[in-house]
Amino acid sequence: MRRDGLSAEEERFIESMGLFFERQGVPRIGGRILGLLLLAEKPLALGEVARLLRVSPASVSTNMRQLQASGLVDPASIPGDRRHYYVFNSAGWDHRLEMAVTAMDALSQLCQDALAMPELKERHNLREAVEFCGFYRQELAGAAERWRARFARRAGSQTTPPPPVPRQRRSGAR
């Protein structure tokens, strides 16, 4: 990344990230910010992100908060500088896996609750959904464990991944 702006290759990558994330239901600017932070070799201030992406600081601020909530961006500081800086959080990938596990747990619980109702207890599709959620959760948990092992071996990682995802609560319906 040049001091005066972005190279054509960097801009293409950033725009591609924006389009990719837009297809995932994230505002395009959020994907563009994430793309920029993936390329950045140092923390970037909000104003610098806005200047490089040619967007408003307010839009950057709003989307930066969403990216922080997703776990993919962390705040950073530079001693003696009062501006807000941000970096890509490599541990955010683990957070994404954790969010998927949480979503599967919620869907499974919703279907289990429906199966506990007398008029719905024999619904095949609900039972299959619970089975799928359990299978998918197990696969995600295994993937998260393998990722954590790989992440821990990587030298110089900037952050530590969060602790393992808690085990699924079991309800009586199945």
Side-chain angles (χ1 to χ4, degrees):
M1 195 171 308
R2 302 181 318 240
R3 292 181 80 147
D4 61 337
L6 301 169
S7 70
E9 293 83 8
E10 290 169 329
E11 283 192 10
R12 273 194 298 279
F13 172 73
I14 289 166
E15 290 306 315
S16 295
M17 287 289 288
L19 291 171
F20 172 81
F21 276 89
E22 186 175 55
R23 287 188 298 270
Q24 308 307 312
V26 174
R28 185 184 301 186
I29 184 62
R32 292 179 68 217
I33 291 169
L34 188 58
L36 178 64
L37 291 177
L38 277 168
L39 295 176
E41 295 181 3
K42 63 180 181 64
L44 295 177
L46 284 176
E48 191 173 8
V49 172
R51 179 184 65 80
L52 289 168
L53 297 179
R54 296 182 301 275
V55 297
S56 75
S59 178
V60 171
S61 179
T62 298
N63 284 277
M64 201 65 83
R65 281 192 301 276
Q66 291 177 335
L67 289 169
Q68 276 186 269
S70 77
L72 290 173
V73 170
D74 272 344
S77 64
I78 295 179
D81 192 331
R82 293 175 32 190
R83 292 181 291 172
H84 295 272
Y85 286 86
Y86 296 90
V87 295
F88 173 75
N89 176 9
S90 295
W93 302 128
D94 187 78
H95 182 71
R96 300 288 290 186
L97 286 168
E98 183 179 326
M99 287 172 44
V101 168
T102 300
M104 282 297 103
D105 288 348
L107 178 58
S108 178
Q109 189 62 55
L110 183 67
C111 293
Q112 289 177 38
D113 291 347
L115 285 167
M117 296 177 205
E119 63 275 10
L120 301 179
K121 69 180 181 180
E122 298 299 325
R123 301 292 171 98
H124 170 73
N125 288 339
L126 288 175
R127 291 190 185 286
E128 188 175 285
V130 171
E131 189 174 331
F132 171 77
C133 289
F135 169 80
Y136 195 56
R137 184 193 202 290
Q138 188 175 9
E139 293 297 311
L140 286 170
E145 287 176 25
R146 290 187 301 278
W147 173 249
R148 284 186 200 103
R150 178 182 290 183
F151 188 89
R153 287 193 307 268
R154 197 171 77 212
S157 60
Q158 55 191 74
T159 56
T160 305
V165 176
R167 293 289 177 216
Q168 181 180 11
R169 293 184 327 238
R170 294 272 178 195
S171 80
R174 188 122 215 226

